[in-house]
Amino acid sequence: MKVLVVLALAIATVSAGVLPNSVPVHPRDLPAVPSIEGRITNGKTASEGQFPYQVGLSFSSSSGGWWCGGSIIDNQWVLTAAHCTSGASSVTIYFGALQRTSAKLTQTVSSSSFKQHTSYNSATLANDISLIKTPTVSFTAYINKIQLPAVASSYSTYAGQKAIASGWGKTSDSASGVTNVLQYQSFDVVSVATCQSTYGSTVASSKVICIATPNQSSTCQGDSGGPLALESNGRLIGVTSFVSSAGCQSGLPSGFTRVTSYLDWIKTNSGVSY
């Protein structure tokens, strides 16, 4: 299957005219050894209440489970990645957690509460976005929503701006277990052209945001679906989507689903407006 995915990406990218130098994969799909869970590589430890919009997502399916991140965008809606909800039968949501599974509130909902983008493509990684409807959550200092970006910023590339990614993803490519404490790191957003030079134009489309990952710091396994927030105004601009198959510490860009490209989709499917 992985060979077929790589071939499909190569064929699609050749037709688009920009050849990839590295194969992208969802963080969830990196090799299962080491463990698929963990934290942001070389990140900083968050303090309690620093990221009240961050949730942990423990997905279950008939073939096993996996961990992802997500963002609260309303008191009944969490935004995450389609590759996180794909194949799951249910999810337990951890609200207000600093320690990974020690939350202020937990809720478990079935896949009937998922609104996965119907055009999500696991081969090209396109439309990697999902919504999860939850029972109503009361906001506190530890549990609160993140603002969506304004429609006026839809044409901004964000290139050169700083953005913060957070999650419980792996500490390193060689990490063998999970961390319990929420991590974060500030990154520089790079241009789509820079991202295309690594992954090609089929994967790195205008609906994707990429960050530079110097000093072996990056999103990694366990961070999938988590937030990328603009440092200047705290708004949600990205959903963690892919890294290089060469590893989280490869120094190659990490990719996020661009939220401004899906504002209408979010509003149509959840009623949450920007």
Side-chain angles (χ1 to χ4, degrees), residues 250-266:
S250 65
L252 296 171
S254 293
F256 300 76
T257 303
R258 182 187 170 100
V259 176
T260 55
S261 297
Y262 296 91
L263 290 173
D264 288 340
W265 179 85
I266 292 170

Side-chain angles (χ1 to χ4, degrees), residues 5-194:
V5 169
V6 171
L7 285 174
L9 278 170
I11 293 167
T13 309
V14 168
S15 66
V18 180
L19 288 169
N21 291 318
S22 180
V23 176
V25 294
H26 293 311
R28 174 186 158 192
D29 296 331
L30 281 165
V33 179
S35 166
I36 67 163
E37 300 176 282
R39 62 175 177 152
I40 285 175
T41 59
N42 294 314
K44 302 171 185 175
T45 300
S47 57
E48 193 168 35
Q50 185 175 0
F51 300 101
Y53 53 82
Q54 172 88 48
V55 296
L57 301 172
S58 180
F59 288 94
S60 297
S61 75
S62 58
S63 57
W66 54 91
W67 180 270
C68 282
S71 303
I72 302 168
I73 61 168
D74 186 73
N75 59 11
Q76 284 189 299
W77 292 98
V78 165
L79 190 68
T80 188
H83 78 268
C84 288
T85 57
S86 181
S89 56
S90 66
V91 64
T92 297
I93 307 165
Y94 294 83
F95 294 91
L98 177 61
Q99 301 290 325
R100 191 170 67 93
T101 56
S102 180
K104 305 292 184 185
L105 171 71
T106 60
Q107 294 178 348
T108 299
V109 298
S110 71
S111 58
S112 62
S113 297
F114 301 169
K115 289 187 179 292
Q116 182 174 302
H117 200 292
T118 55
S119 297
Y120 166 59
N121 187 318
S122 60
T124 64
L125 318 186
N127 304 306
D128 188 18
I129 193 166
S130 279
L131 286 157
I132 301 172
K133 188 172 186 180
T134 72
T136 301
V137 175
S138 296
F139 291 152
T140 69
Y142 306 105
I143 303 171
N144 212 329
K145 68 180 180 179
I146 187 171
Q147 293 291 329
L148 296 174
V151 68
S153 63
S154 294
Y155 299 103
S156 173
T157 64
Y158 299 114
Q161 297 190 56
K162 289 192 175 296
I164 296 174
S166 52
W168 289 270
K170 278 174 55 174
T171 57
S172 68
D173 286 319
S174 60
S176 59
V178 301
T179 186
N180 284 328
V181 185
L182 183 64
Q183 301 288 300
Y184 73 98
Q185 187 58 274
S186 179
F187 298 94
D188 290 325
V189 178
V190 298
S191 68
V192 173
T194 297

Side-chain angles (χ1 to χ4, degrees), residues 176-270:
S176 59
V178 301
T179 186
N180 284 328
V181 185
L182 183 64
Q183 301 288 300
Y184 73 98
Q185 187 58 274
S186 179
F187 298 94
D188 290 325
V189 178
V190 298
S191 68
V192 173
T194 297
C195 203
Q196 287 177 347
S197 68
T198 300
Y199 299 114
S201 55
T202 298
V203 170
S205 71
S206 61
K207 293 184 176 183
V208 164
I209 290 174
C210 288
I211 57 169
T213 62
N215 306 315
Q216 297 190 331
S217 183
S218 177
T219 49
C220 203
Q221 292 157 317
D223 291 321
S224 288
L228 182 71
L230 202 61
E231 203 168 279
S232 61
N233 62 17
R235 289 181 180 255
L236 182 67
I237 62 170
V239 175
T240 303
S241 179
F242 63 85
V243 295
S244 171
S245 58
C248 306
Q249 294 178 285
S250 65
L252 296 171
S254 293
F256 300 76
T257 303
R258 182 187 170 100
V259 176
T260 55
S261 297
Y262 296 91
L263 290 173
D264 288 340
W265 179 85
I266 292 170
K267 184 177 181 180
T268 298
N269 287 279
S270 69

